[in-house]
């Protein structure tokens, strides 16, 4: 169903345009231990009434029930998307049982490995959804306590795997090949490279020190990984939603089983909130409505993510894949062109680095972008001075984006600093901030497994809700296939490139010369 064809759409658009900030109002939602402050998003009583009408006509409640019940919500691939079942949320009985046996196997493996005090190092080889989740969680939580050293390599650029292996003792290393399909060229090539490295490092049977995390166990076995070292997941787990599946084994080995369990529990708490909180206080729903308002009504083409916590640097690409692979579509579920501006680009960087990189554009660029600020109340370091400055900067940037500064305010401030009226008048034009640039502030009491899971699930459900409103499938990614096919063609048909343009042919022959 096209959003713009839904009867309440026009009223919703009008309500968004009319909504004006009320500096005296706070709109704060508490969900699964997170505080989500939406005070600086367009909102009003009218907005809420029309938003709810929109959700109703888009069939949101039914779609949400279908997600958890295991309906084939991924219509173009005829699959369910049951990542919520992986964290023990409401699910079909048979699925819940399969998940629980898989978790039991993973738990046993972790326990045995710990008891035997094996493997100081884990090298995780995956890409996209088989990489960003564990990589981001490791970066976020490693400061709290680790059991082992984790290294990650994803890129087909051998500099990545070479760096990942540098300085490791091959005899004390477990290789983890993480690939849902077990056909992804990057992961398989890196795995072969790492197995050779182990052999050179004195390991007689490297495959005996390798595990596979995959939804294609047959391919893992054909590669040489024994069934007892293969931890399966299922086609109903989307790659970018797979950190909760056996793909999380790396987290459990590196950060501890309890940490992995705490992440699942906190995501489950967010599932519960998403399923039961009324729409007006339902954090993922309200974040999705803001996203739709910002993209499809106000015309913003991107969403910026700025965690004010350096440990969340990799949260940015994790979210980038979640949002852009899920929502970066040009047609509706029925294959019809979309009638409104959807699926904003997602990009960002932690604060305060981002302030010195692209905030100029956010404050005064012609278009700007809505920003999600993420901050933690309690740091895991003792420097109150750093933390006060970090958190305060986050609040100040958000206030500046929303409040704006008129020419008169800019002029008065310059004159108050002692500038002549003539100079101040000229300079004031450069100091105007349009303001009314929306943002959301998400505050975690502390960055730990008990909150990180909820944060990830919050965004998963926000993306799902936006997809329902936009009428698109957030669980497929057909757009990534064409480029992969052409790459295969270039590698395998290197002698006949006649189907390619002159520039591609030129660079392929230059490369072939170089590698000759
Ligand atoms: O980039 C496309 C993609 O299919 C992603 O959706 C996925 O996360 C990634 O490749 C890795 O795929 P796999 O887990 O099958 O190796």
């Amino acid at each position: 169903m096209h959003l713009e064809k839904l009867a309440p759409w026009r009223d919703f658009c009008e309500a968004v345009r009319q909504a004006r900030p009320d500096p005296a109002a706070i709109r704060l939602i508490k969900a699964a231990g997170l505080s989500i402050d939406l005070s600086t998003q367009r909102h009003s009583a009218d907005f809420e009434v029309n938003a709810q009408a929109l959700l109703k006509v888009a069939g949101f409640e039914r779609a949400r029930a279908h997600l958890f019940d295991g309906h084939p919500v991924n219509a173009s691939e005829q699959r369910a998307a049951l990542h919520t079942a992986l964290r023990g949320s409401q699910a079909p009985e048979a699925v819940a049982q399969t998940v629980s046996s898989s978790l039991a196997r993973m738990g046993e493996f972790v326990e045995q490995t710990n008891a035997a005090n094996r493997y100081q190092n884990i090298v995780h080889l995956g890409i996209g959804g088989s990489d960003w989740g564990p990589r981001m969680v490791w970066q976020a939580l490693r400061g709290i306590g680790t059991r082992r050293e984790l290294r990650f390599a994803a890129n087909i650029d051998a500099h990545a795997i070479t760096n990942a292996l540098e300085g490791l003792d091959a005899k004390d290393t477990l290789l983890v090949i993480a690939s849902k399909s077990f056909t992804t060229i990057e992961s398989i090539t890196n795995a072969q490279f790492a197995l050779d490295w182990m052999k050179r490092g004195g390991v007689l049977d490297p495959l005996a020190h390798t595990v596979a995390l995959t939804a294609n166990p047959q391919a893992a076995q054909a590669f040489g990984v024994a069934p007892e070292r293969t931890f399966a997941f299922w086609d109903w787990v989307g790659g970018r939603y797979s950190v909760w599946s056996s793909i999380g084994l790396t987290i459990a080995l590196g950060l501890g089983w309890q940490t992995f369990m705490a992440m699942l529990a906190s995501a489950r708490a967010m599932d519960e909130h998403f399923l039961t909180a009324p729409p007006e206080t339902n954090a993922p729903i309200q974040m999705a409505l803001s996203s739709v308002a910002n993209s499809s009504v106000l015309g913003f083409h991107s969403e910026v993510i700025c965690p004010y916590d350096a440990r969340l640097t990799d949260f940015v690409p994790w979210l980038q894949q979640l949002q852009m692979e899920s929502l970066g579509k040009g047609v509706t579920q029925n294959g019809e062109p979309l009638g409104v501006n959807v699926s904003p680009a997602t990009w960002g960087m932690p604060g305060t680095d981002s302030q010195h990189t692209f905030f100029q554009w956010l404050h005064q660029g012609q278009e700007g972008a809505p920003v999600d600020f993420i901050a933690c109340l309690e740091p895991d370091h003792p420097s109150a001075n750093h933390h006060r400055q970090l958190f305060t900067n986050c609040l100040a940037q958000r206030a500046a984006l929303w409040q704006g500064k008129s020419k008169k305010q800019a002029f008065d401030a310059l004159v108050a600093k002692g500038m002549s009226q003539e100079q101040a008048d000229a300079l004031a034009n450069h100091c105007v901030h349009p303001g009314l640039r929306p943002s959301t502030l998400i505050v975690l009491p502390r960055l730990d497994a008990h909150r990180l899971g909820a944060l990830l699930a919050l965004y998963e459900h926000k993306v799902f809700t936006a997809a329902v409103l936009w009428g698109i499938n957030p669980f497929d990614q057909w757009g990534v296939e064409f480029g992969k096919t052409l790459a295969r063609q270039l590698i395998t048909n290197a002698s006949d490139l006649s189907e390619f343009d002159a520039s591609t042919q030129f660079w392929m022959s230059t490369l072939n010369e170089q590698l000759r």
Side-chain angles (χ1 to χ4, degrees), residues 32 56 61 107 112 157 219 262 277-278 287 303 335 341 414 420 435-436 447:
K56 194 161 182 201
E61 282 196 12
Q112 284 166 6
D157 181 346
M287 283 174 67
E303 283 184 355
N341 180 34
L414 292 168
S420 76
L436 267 189
L447 184 57

Side-chain angles (χ1 to χ4, degrees), residues 454-466:
L455 181 67
L456 309 191
L458 169 69
Y459 275 99
E460 287 178 351
H461 293 319
K462 173 217 160 179
V463 164
F464 174 75
T465 307

Side-chain angles (χ1 to χ4, degrees), residues 198-469:
M198 280 176 113
K199 233 181 186 143
R200 285 196 307 277
V203 179
L204 293 180
D205 182 7
L207 281 163
H209 305 277
T210 299
V211 297
L213 319 176
T214 185
N216 186 358
Q218 295 81 357
Q221 277 146 46
F223 185 85
V225 183
E228 62 275 18
R229 281 189 301 281
T230 299
F231 296 86
F233 60 104
W234 310 274
D235 69 353
W236 42 261
V237 180
R240 52 195 173 273
Y241 302 86
S242 65
V243 66
W244 322 104
S245 71
S246 60
I247 294 288
L249 185 70
T250 299
I251 300 171
L253 287 165
L255 295 167
W257 184 251
Q258 291 315 322
T259 300
F260 184 54
M261 286 296 105
M263 272 197 54
L264 298 188
S266 88
R268 188 162 65 240
M270 185 56 78
D271 292 341
E272 183 66 18
H273 167 86
F274 180 54
L275 278 170
T276 56
E280 61 277 17
T281 52
N282 193 305
I285 294 180
Q286 289 297 324
M287 283 174 67
L289 285 165
S290 293
S291 198
V292 170
N294 292 332
S295 306
S296 307
V297 185
L298 300 175
F300 289 109
H301 290 92
S302 57
E303 283 184 355
V304 169
I305 172 85
C306 292
Y308 272 65
D309 193 307
R311 297 168 294 177
L312 288 175
T313 301
D314 282 343
F315 185 78
V316 177
W318 175 84
L319 184 64
Q320 212 160 24
Q321 188 197 10
L322 177 69
Q323 298 210 139
M324 294 177 80
E325 213 164 72
S326 302
L327 299 173
K329 311 288 162 65
V331 293
T332 64
Q333 289 263 20
N334 299 331
E336 295 160 1
L338 291 155
V340 295
N341 180 34
V342 308
S343 57
T346 304
W347 52 278
M349 188 189 285
T352 57
D353 305 81
S354 51
Q355 291 175 204
H356 300 271
T357 309
F358 55 73
F359 266 63
Q360 165 63 35
W361 182 90
L362 288 178
H363 286 298
Q364 291 189 314
Q366 282 177 309
E367 180 173 320
V371 183
D372 281 4
F373 293 95
I374 301 177
C376 300
L377 262 187
E378 189 191 332
D380 282 286
H381 60 69
S383 177
N385 176 31
H386 275 89
H387 194 59
R388 181 170 291 108
Q389 302 217 39
L390 177 73
F391 205 102
T392 307
N393 263 279
C394 172
L395 296 180
Q397 295 300 326
R398 178 170 163 260
L401 285 166
W402 190 237
Q403 279 173 21
K405 194 197 264 186
S406 67
K407 173 151 187 204
K408 177 160 181 352
Q409 287 170 320
F411 174 84
D412 290 347
L414 292 168
V415 170
K417 273 192 195 158
M419 197 174 272
S420 76
Q421 298 238 343
E422 198 183 341
Q423 280 176 320
D425 188 54
L427 188 54
N429 288 321
H430 299 274
C431 302
V432 170
H433 288 236
L436 267 189
R437 297 206 156 167
S439 65
T440 298
L441 170 64
I442 301 171
V443 178
L444 283 65
R446 185 181 171 218
L447 184 57
D448 58 19
H450 300 281
R451 305 292 175 246
L452 187 60
L455 181 67
L456 309 191
L458 169 69
Y459 275 99
E460 287 178 351
H461 293 319
K462 173 217 160 179
V463 164
F464 174 75
T465 307
V468 172
L469 287 168

Side-chain angles (χ1 to χ4, degrees), residues 126-131 178-187 213-214 233 238-242 247 321 325 477 480-481 484:
I127 196 163
S130 297
D131 170 68
S179 174
K180 180 178 172 182
S181 59
F182 225 84
T183 57
T184 303
I185 200 73
E186 289 91 337
S187 308
L213 319 176
T214 185
F233 60 104
R240 52 195 173 273
Y241 302 86
S242 65
I247 294 288
Q321 188 197 10
E325 213 164 72
Q477 59 284 320
V480 300
E481 296 306 325
K484 286 186 197 169

Side-chain angles (χ1 to χ4, degrees), residues 106 109-110 114 121-126 130-131 133-139 146-153 174-179 211-213 231 242-257 259-260 263:
M106 286 165 66
F109 179 78
V110 172
N114 290 347
N121 317 303
I122 310 286
V123 175
H124 182 102
L125 306 173
S130 297
D131 170 68
R135 188 192 284 257
M136 174 262 296
V137 172
W138 168 247
Q139 189 191 54
T146 60
R147 289 199 67 106
R148 297 181 167 84
E149 171 70 7
L150 299 195
R151 300 276 179 92
F152 295 85
L174 176 73
L175 214 59
V176 176
I177 312 173
S179 174
V211 297
L213 319 176
F231 296 86
S242 65
V243 66
W244 322 104
S245 71
S246 60
I247 294 288
L249 185 70
T250 299
I251 300 171
L253 287 165
L255 295 167
W257 184 251
T259 300
F260 184 54
M263 272 197 54

